[in-house]
Amino acid sequence: MRGRRLLIVLILIIAAAVIVFFRTYDGKPGPLPSEDEITAALNEYDSEADAAVLLDRVRLAEEHVFVPFISSQGIHGMGFLKWEKRKWSVTRVDMSGRPEVRVTDQSDPSGRYVVWNNNPLEKVKEFRFYLIRDRNAGMSDRVNYYVPRVQMEELVNVTEHPYGAMPFPEEWAGIMREDDKLNKAPAVDFMDNIFSQFYFRPSMLYVGYLPVYAEDAPPRSGSSKSGDEDTEFMMIMNETDLEKPQ
């Protein structure tokens, strides 16, 4: 009798494990839905999307897809699909079309893309994307430290590419990895690594962009954005935020 009870308990444990596995295992992504199916899913997710024309379906990663679209009112928006729970789902719709960072891998900066879908009526000629770290200096535990400035630039011709998905340059990803290591360096390593003096500081890296408009561009109007766990917003910059090469 005792052996039978143990067998029943074991079967229940295995059954529970199988159920948990199938509920959490997403499996290999299946084929993308058709354009009509994606359009319907975008409009179901956000009734204000009013998506009418899909411009593209850009696969950022195996489980992430970027969908720039135009609404029936001519608004240029962005939709995002993600493979989860063994199906493709809309996880976010953005109706501003302004640049932002889409994260496909939280553990690696290389899994980041700058995405945008600019309305040609805004007459943006160029996006200048920047990875910035502000210069900083001070003293901690009687030790002086200096953090040099980082300013790295990537240019995109918006006239030629009104929408797009720019993968993070490897130079950007490399700096972000090193910055993350410095932030995580434990205090006990201080004497062994002169750079570990930065262990106590928060990261000061950020990504921003500067839109360059045509002379006859219409007045700019703002619009709100709301994100999700895979979104990182970008700061809109001015010329005064940038340093000129020496």
Side-chain angles (χ1 to χ4, degrees):
M1 180 65 69
R2 183 177 180 182
R4 186 176 180 180
R5 289 179 179 176
L6 290 175
L7 179 60
I8 293 174
V9 171
L10 181 60
I11 291 173
L12 292 175
I13 292 174
I14 294 175
V18 170
I19 292 173
V20 170
F21 174 79
F22 279 103
R23 284 186 175 179
T24 58
Y25 177 64
D26 290 330
K28 185 177 180 180
L32 285 176
S34 68
E35 289 191 13
D36 289 343
E37 290 172 330
I38 293 176
T39 300
L42 292 173
N43 293 332
E44 181 179 355
Y45 182 87
D46 185 347
S47 59
E48 295 183 1
D50 194 21
V53 178
L54 302 189
L55 298 174
D56 208 341
R57 291 177 292 177
V58 184
R59 193 181 287 268
L60 306 179
E62 191 175 22
E63 299 174 350
H64 294 260
V65 175
F66 164 52
V67 183
F69 67 89
I70 302 176
S71 76
S72 62
Q73 302 299 315
I75 298 173
H76 287 233
M78 302 186 293
F80 301 93
L81 305 182
K82 189 174 183 178
W83 178 264
E84 51 187 4
K85 297 182 179 179
R86 298 185 295 283
K87 66 178 181 178
W88 288 106
S89 302
V90 176
T91 58
R92 182 165 169 267
V93 170
D94 172 77
M95 297 305 294
S96 76
R98 297 201 310 266
E100 63 184 53
V101 175
R102 196 66 183 170
V103 182
T104 65
D105 186 346
Q106 297 285 350
S107 65
D108 187 352
S110 292
R112 283 171 165 77
Y113 290 78
V114 178
V115 297
W116 68 93
N117 184 18
N118 183 71
N119 191 329
L121 295 178
E122 296 184 4
K123 294 190 175 182
V124 178
K125 299 191 299 182
E126 184 178 68
F127 282 139
R128 300 177 183 174
F129 298 120
Y130 294 94
L131 177 69
I132 300 289
R133 181 177 66 195
D134 291 327
R135 186 179 292 105
N136 191 21
M139 177 180 289
S140 176
D141 196 21
R142 294 178 295 179
V143 175
N144 292 314
Y145 66 89
Y146 172 71
V147 181
R149 179 177 174 85
V150 169
Q151 180 176 303
M152 306 187 76
E153 180 185 68
E154 290 288 328
L155 307 180
V156 170
N157 186 324
V158 182
T159 303
E160 296 179 359
H161 304 284
Y163 69 86
M166 184 191 81
F168 260 35
E170 184 53 39
E171 293 83 358
W172 290 22
I175 287 178
M176 293 180 71
R177 292 188 196 100
E178 290 303 316
D179 193 75
D180 187 57
K181 289 180 182 178
L182 294 177
N183 287 325
K184 293 179 179 178
V188 295
D189 293 337
F190 181 81
M191 298 303 295
D192 299 324
N193 185 342
I194 60 173
F195 295 109
S196 65
Q197 59 186 287
F198 303 133
Y199 75 91
F200 55 86
R201 67 174 179 84
S203 173
M204 290 173 284
L205 279 173
Y206 61 91
V207 179
Y209 74 100
L210 176 67
V212 180
Y213 294 90
E215 292 183 0
D216 60 343
R220 269 81 79 182
S221 60
S223 57
S224 61
K225 290 173 75 75
S226 59
D228 61 4
E229 63 180 3
D230 298 322
T231 304
E232 292 180 355
F233 294 123
M234 302 177 67
M235 178 185 297
I236 302 178
M237 307 183 71
N238 299 306
E239 291 284 358
T240 54
D241 299 318
L242 304 171
E243 292 189 0
K244 301 295 183 182
Q246 299 295 326

